Amino acid sequence: MKVNMLRPQLVVSTLTLFLSVAVSAAPPVEITVNTDEPGELISRHIYGQFAEHLGRGIYQGIWVGKNSSIPNKNGFRLDVVNALKKLQIPNIRWPGGCFADEYHWRDGIGPPEQRPVKVNNHWGGVAETNAFGTHEFFELLEMLGADAYIAGNLGSGSPREMAEWLEYMTSDSNSTLAELRRKNGRREPWKVAYWGVGNESWGCGGNMRPEYYADLYRQYATFLKAPDANRPLKVASGGYNELTDWTDILSRIPSNIDGISFHYYTLPSGNWDKKGSAVGFSRHEWISHLANTLKIDGYLKKNISILEKNDPDGKIGLYVDEWGSWYDSEPGRNPGFLYQQNTIRDAVMAGVNFNIFHSWSERIHMTNIAQMVNVLQAMILTKDEKMVLTPTYHVFELHTVFHDSTYIPVTVQNVPRVRSGEVSIPALSVSAAKAKDDNLYLSLVNLDPENPSEINATIDGMAISTATGRSLEGESMDSHNTFDSPSSVSPSAIAATTNENSFRITLPARSVTVLQITPGSDP
Ligand code: AHR
């Protein structure tokens, strides 16, 4: 045959030509946004944070003390606090994590020099000075305008200790505890929006069975009393990954429960003994990490279908109060500090998670990325007086427009899949919402590590005036910001070509884009 007569080199170039024609001829992704059928509220609490007494998460990362040479206000790092303000953080979960079930709140009140020094047994065995305690936490919340999500100690505490902490925070009476709070400098009660009863009670929080924990929850929650106008929503400590029995058992508690937590961490390998690196990873690990990220969608679906059955009135929310990337600790660092670099892969991973959370916003009342500063998938990394914003920080900042927006359904067609061996991922993740400013916003994540994505979008029920936004991309799969090069990954402007109620846009490879669609006058 003729082909067999071609010289090998010519065969290769003919094939290359054929392949590139085939690739460039791939049809654009077709997106239809249906503004006529608005869905649920996307709670701003989906953009919650988590700060644990772990490594440099609190000490050095947020709190340096009043006498530090690092510029601070009352001991709080000004650079970090000012950067966090831009994220409009809705809530912070504190003091853990596993630390929460070893924390005794009385250690962290009163004159700092009189507070006991303990050992943080769970994280690195380092000294815990208790310099950052209840009053400092609420001062941070006030600076950031965020709500409190307290994780109470069920594992090694008692119902009395937990109840008294809540009384200390919220009582406006003349009780001894309220007076103690006043003596320690806080006259008015604080608002406590959320209260978690323990953490990971199946593991570090006490190695319990769900049935046993469910009884303890009922007992502890009974004594969590606060004035009517300041009663926190109570969150039971639930399951993780593919587990559903915690959700099932806890959602059958008849009253005094507002939420059940759920934890999911993404590891590139899926193997806790050898998780994978934060930087310098292979194309396969890009794909496997995002494939593992996408698994949360199925886990949420299963847990939510149980809630639909046991709680058809929708009173109990699912609180994904720990999620994020978790990599192997860098050589030479204290493995108990969970410090890791943060790349464009983490930004893409966060964008994918947000789109999934938006789609389940009817039941997902809150999520908390782990963690805010210097720990796991952090917003900010610090080193002495230096600070750097991570790609994940920028994704949170880009998505502030989704806080308390209204979910708008989207259908997508022609989404190619990106493959490595047996593993494959869709090249695009998308969600849409109508924001409080009346504009439509699209979150568009290109998961493809190599190729841009051509998008044709139609907005049903809305004429378009403009379609502009900002995009975060990386030059390589592990592009990241460093103290010496802090802006390698930072958002840049992007615009779509519009025509009546449709637009076209090319998304860069490895990118997260938030597009603002301003309404035009109807034709
Ligand atoms: O975020 C780090 C740890 O991960 C938390 O302390 C714990 O709850 C989880 O296992």
Side-chain angles (χ1 to χ4, degrees), residues 50 52 54 93 96-99 122-123 199-200 202 204 263 265 272 322 326 338 370-371 375-376:
F50 171 34
E52 180 167 11
L54 194 179
R93 179 172 181 252
C98 295
F99 182 80
H122 203 89
W123 299 116
N199 168 74
E200 294 195 350
W202 41 264
C204 64
H263 291 179
Y265 285 100
W272 282 96
E322 287 186 31
W326 194 322
L338 308 187
Q371 300 192 7
V375 176
L376 297 176

Side-chain angles (χ1 to χ4, degrees), residues 42 46 296-297 300 320 323 350 352-362 364 367-368 407:
I42 296 174
I46 280 180
I296 196 174
D297 191 41
L300 296 178
V320 186
W323 66 271
V352 168
N353 271 290
F354 290 150
N355 289 339
I356 293 171
F357 296 150
H358 292 171
S359 74
W360 295 110
S361 52
E362 192 173 350
I364 298 201
T367 91
N368 305 78
Y407 181 73

Side-chain angles (χ1 to χ4, degrees), residues 324-364:
S325 298
W326 194 322
Y327 303 115
D328 290 329
S329 157
E330 283 175 21
R333 289 195 183 264
N334 185 334
F337 281 13
L338 308 187
Y339 178 93
Q340 62 191 35
Q341 214 6 299
N342 191 300
T343 70
I344 188 67
R345 179 176 65 171
D346 296 291
V348 166
M349 177 274 192
V352 168
N353 271 290
F354 290 150
N355 289 339
I356 293 171
F357 296 150
H358 292 171
S359 74
W360 295 110
S361 52
E362 192 173 350
R363 275 287 177 178
I364 298 201

